[in-house]
Amino acid sequence: MARTDCGAYRLGLGVYALGRLAGAEAAALSAHLRGCPPCRAELAELRDVAELLAHSARTREGAGRGPRTGASRMGLSGACAYGARGPGRSR
């Protein structure tokens, strides 16, 4: 099968891995994945990461802490979410 430009599809892989991509975008990405082994491999890695993050969030919530929201619920710190040089970080 001929190689296509995966750029537009790769942008949605993370959302798709979380099960949050809907409608026509999900259908188009699903069709692309059937013919693109590299994108399928990347999706598998992203699903593994999503599963680890979900497990980490469940473990932390069960450790006597209250419910979390946003990045902290996913086990991500601001530094992780934005990088060490992201908004609000000194250079």
Side-chain angles (χ1 to χ4, degrees), residues 10-67:
R10 291 184 75 208
L11 292 174
L13 284 175
V15 179
Y16 190 86
L18 294 170
R20 304 283 183 167
L21 194 63
E25 288 179 293
L29 182 53
S30 181
H32 172 76
L33 288 168
R34 284 191 291 275
C36 185
C39 284
R40 282 197 309 270
E42 185 171 344
L43 177 62
E45 290 177 16
L46 290 170
R47 282 185 170 153
D48 288 344
V49 170
E51 185 177 319
L52 288 171
L53 289 173
H55 176 74
S56 174
R58 286 190 302 270
T59 302
R60 288 175 181 236
E61 285 179 1
R65 297 183 182 145

